[in-house]
């Protein structure tokens, strides 16, 4: 099976959650946006079946929404837990992570994606303060607790092996440390930090991180580093 990923070529964004799954599993995939440019992604969206990228296409179907794509790929890529109950929990946590990612994005775009950050810096400052003090600790505590309370052990968040969700948590933790380094130093997430380390050392991920396929975080993406939105120290 060959997979085609449609995602914007210049940011890790939500496409990165999908890339990490492909790279960890070592499967063949075509990164259409990076090979053919943003126009090819726009063209896919204009066909009308999907509202927004990332979109993954095979010869048989095309699928959008990160959590939905990963729930699908978890089976063929062998990044799933073994029981149905754990699979439901995986999807539940992946959807919660999608909520978290949307809130992270909304910190720098509190009035919607169309308004330039530079035009709403003061509003973004207010949004960032609330995010850093309320939502960031609440979401991190939830995922940290999920990890420590996994009855199958604390190496992985669901079940006893690596899943798509562990790879996604890696990306979110790395993104948060890029965007809010000061605020993140105040958070206590020992188990999530161990998880990030464990994921970074998986053979497929390590090779990917060292390759030119891996895009660096930047200020056009979801995780943006604006010092004025971070904790002042
Ligand atoms: N809930 C969707 C969000 C998709 C999304 O917002 N995609 C962004 C890029 S990360 C986009 O290009 N959105 C265009 C739009 O919302 O019009 C998912 O998880 O896939």
């Amino acid at each position: 099976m060959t997979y085609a990923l449609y995602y914007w070529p210049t940011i890790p964004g939500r496409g990165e959650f999908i890339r990490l799954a492909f790279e960890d599993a070592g499967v063949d995939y075509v990164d259409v946006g990076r090979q053919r440019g943003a126009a090819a992604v726009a063209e896919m969206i204009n066909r009308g079946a999907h509202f927004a990228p990332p979109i993954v296409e095979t010869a048989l179907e095309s699928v959008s929404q990160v959590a939905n794509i990963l729930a699908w790929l978890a089976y063929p890529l062998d990044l799933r837990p073994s029981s149905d109950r754990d699979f439901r929990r995986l999807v539940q946590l992946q959807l919660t992570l999608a909520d978290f990612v949307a809130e992270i994005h909304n910190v720098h775009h509190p009035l919607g994606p169309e308004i330039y950050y530079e035009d709403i810096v003061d509003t973004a400052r207010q949004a960032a303060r609330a995010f850093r003090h309320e939502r960031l600790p609440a979401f991190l505590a939830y995922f940290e607790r999920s990890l420590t309370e996994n009855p199958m052990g604390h190496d992985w968040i669901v079940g006893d092996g690596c899943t798509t969700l562990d790879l996604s948590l890696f990306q979110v933790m790395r993104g948060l440390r890029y965007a809010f380094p000061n605020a993140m130093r105040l958070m206590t997430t020992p188990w999530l930090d161990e998880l990030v380390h464990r994921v970074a050392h998986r053979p497929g991920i390590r090779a990917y991180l060292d390759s030119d396929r891996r895009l660096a975080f930047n200020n056009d993406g979801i995780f943006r580093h604006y010092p004025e939105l971070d904790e002042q120290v």
Side-chain angles (χ1 to χ4, degrees):
M1 180 75 78
T2 301
Y3 298 96
L5 168 67
Y6 290 78
Y7 194 70
W8 307 120
T10 55
I11 57 170
R14 289 180 174 88
E16 199 64 11
F17 299 118
I18 315 301
R19 288 194 193 96
L20 286 168
F22 286 145
E23 295 281 351
D24 185 77
V27 300
D28 253 1
Y29 72 103
V30 179
D31 202 329
V32 177
R34 295 201 66 195
Q35 286 194 6
R36 291 174 29 213
V41 181
E43 192 183 293
M44 171 56 129
I45 295 162
N46 289 339
R47 283 189 229 159
H50 304 284
F51 184 75
I55 299 160
V56 173
E57 184 182 53
T58 66
L60 301 175
E61 61 186 319
S62 66
V63 178
S64 62
Q65 290 283 354
V66 170
N68 187 39
I69 296 169
L70 293 177
W72 166 46
L73 292 179
Y75 278 83
L77 302 190
D78 202 17
L79 285 166
R80 66 180 192 281
S82 49
S83 79
D84 286 352
R85 180 183 289 201
D86 277 346
F87 184 72
R88 283 192 289 282
R89 180 151 175 79
L90 175 78
V91 174
Q92 173 186 310
L93 285 158
Q94 191 81 55
L95 285 164
T96 307
L97 195 65
D99 293 343
F100 189 21
V101 169
E103 291 200 23
I104 294 165
H105 176 269
N106 292 349
V107 169
H108 51 76
H109 277 83
L111 301 181
E114 305 302 334
I115 303 177
Y116 289 110
Y117 172 71
E118 289 70 23
D119 295 335
I120 43 100
V121 176
D122 285 343
T123 312
R125 271 185 214 269
Q126 272 180 282
R129 195 175 312 114
F131 172 77
R132 290 191 318 264
H133 297 166
E134 314 277 340
R135 304 298 283 176
L136 177 67
F139 274 110
L140 290 180
Y142 173 70
F143 288 110
E144 182 79 8
R145 198 167 60 243
S146 301
L147 201 42
T148 57
E149 290 177 359
N150 177 358
M152 305 286 280
H154 313 314
D155 283 358
W156 310 106
I157 195 158
V158 175
D160 60 1
C162 183
T163 65
T164 50
L165 180 62
D166 298 294
L167 305 178
S168 298
L169 280 165
F170 162 83
Q171 181 65 8
V172 168
M173 290 300 286
R174 283 273 174 104
L176 286 168
R177 288 199 187 281
Y178 168 80
F180 304 101
N182 296 341
M184 284 300 285
R185 270 194 288 275
L186 302 175
M187 302 291 133
T188 308
T189 54
W191 292 96
L192 284 168
D193 295 340
E194 278 288 317
L195 179 75
V196 168
H197 185 75
R198 200 169 289 117
V199 168
H201 286 83
R202 288 173 67 78
I205 298 298
R206 201 169 48 203
Y208 172 57
L209 297 179
D210 287 342
S211 77
D212 59 8
R213 297 188 301 284
R214 170 74 170 179
L215 286 165
F217 292 108
N218 61 58
N219 274 12
D220 293 321
I222 293 168
F223 301 95
R224 300 188 188 187
H225 178 57
Y226 295 119
E228 63 275 19
L229 301 188
D230 196 4
E231 204 67 55
Q232 303 304 301
V233 291

